[in-house]
Amino acid sequence: MIDTRTKLLNTATDLFLGKGFGVVGTAEICKSAAVSKGTFYHFFESKTDLLIHAIEQYANVFRSEFDAIAQSNVVPDKKLAALFDVPAQANRSWKASHGFAQGCLVGNMTLELGSVDDSVRRAVCDAMASWQHAIVPVIRELIIGGQIPDIDPASGAEAVIAMIQGGLIMAKS
């Protein structure tokens, strides 16, 4: 059984992915999660606080998948391809049930709020930094194997994230 806090996070994540942050109100979140506003405010100070926790939860899921890929015994070029498949699969699944691509909660909120809300900007930066940390070992393996030039692994991981985010924006369009 999912606890109430997790239910609120999951419900908000789906609503924010489907509609965006600005359009979704706390009343809609509460109604969709089948909880009262009092319960909402027991767990979260505000809708923005909920969003920040949703971003953290969402980022942790992807980071765990990226970590698993990096630690697998798969050859490095297959690991790189697998990194791209994680969000692609999430979008294929979402599109199959909703009729449109979701993009990425981190990327979507960066575009919607990154320039107007410092707390959201910090949350998305932390999320991307955690993904970068998870991807660096794959880039190192590619460098050691001579499959890519000797670049800074952190910069290479950042480029992978940029390509993934760009692909997700294109999928939404």
Side-chain angles (χ1 to χ4, degrees), residues 17-119:
L17 279 168
K19 297 180 176 184
F21 179 80
V23 188
V24 176
T26 56
E28 183 176 3
I29 295 166
C30 292
K31 182 178 179 183
S32 295
V35 301
S36 69
K37 278 195 177 185
T39 300
F40 175 94
Y41 287 109
H42 171 76
F43 291 105
F44 303 101
E45 293 178 15
S46 64
K47 185 174 82 164
T48 301
D49 182 46
L50 171 63
L51 172 63
I52 290 166
H53 284 90
I55 289 168
E56 290 168 356
Q57 176 180 274
Y58 184 92
N60 287 338
V61 169
F62 282 89
R63 191 201 69 247
S64 293
E65 292 190 46
F66 293 156
D67 281 336
I69 291 166
Q71 295 168 13
S72 72
N73 292 324
V74 177
V75 295
D77 59 329
K78 300 284 187 208
K79 287 181 182 183
L80 181 62
L83 293 171
F84 284 89
D85 197 46
V86 170
Q89 180 56 43
N91 268 267
R92 283 190 294 271
S93 177
W94 179 277
K95 188 172 184 177
S97 61
H98 294 87
F100 60 94
Q102 69 181 0
C104 168
L105 184 66
V106 173
N108 294 354
M109 294 305 107
T110 300
L111 292 171
E112 187 175 347
L113 299 169
S115 63
V116 295
D117 189 309
D118 289 338
S119 62

Side-chain angles (χ1 to χ4, degrees), residues 58-71 80 83 104 106 122-143 151-165:
Y58 184 92
N60 287 338
V61 169
F62 282 89
R63 191 201 69 247
S64 293
E65 292 190 46
F66 293 156
D67 281 336
I69 291 166
Q71 295 168 13
L80 181 62
L83 293 171
C104 168
V106 173
R122 281 190 301 277
V124 297
C125 285
D126 290 346
M128 289 192 202
S130 77
W131 295 345
Q132 181 181 9
H133 182 74
I135 294 170
V136 162
V138 176
I139 302 302
R140 282 193 184 113
E141 286 185 52
L142 290 164
I143 294 166
I151 61 171
D152 171 53
S155 295
E158 187 175 67
V160 169
I161 294 166
M163 286 184 269
I164 288 170
Q165 288 298 320

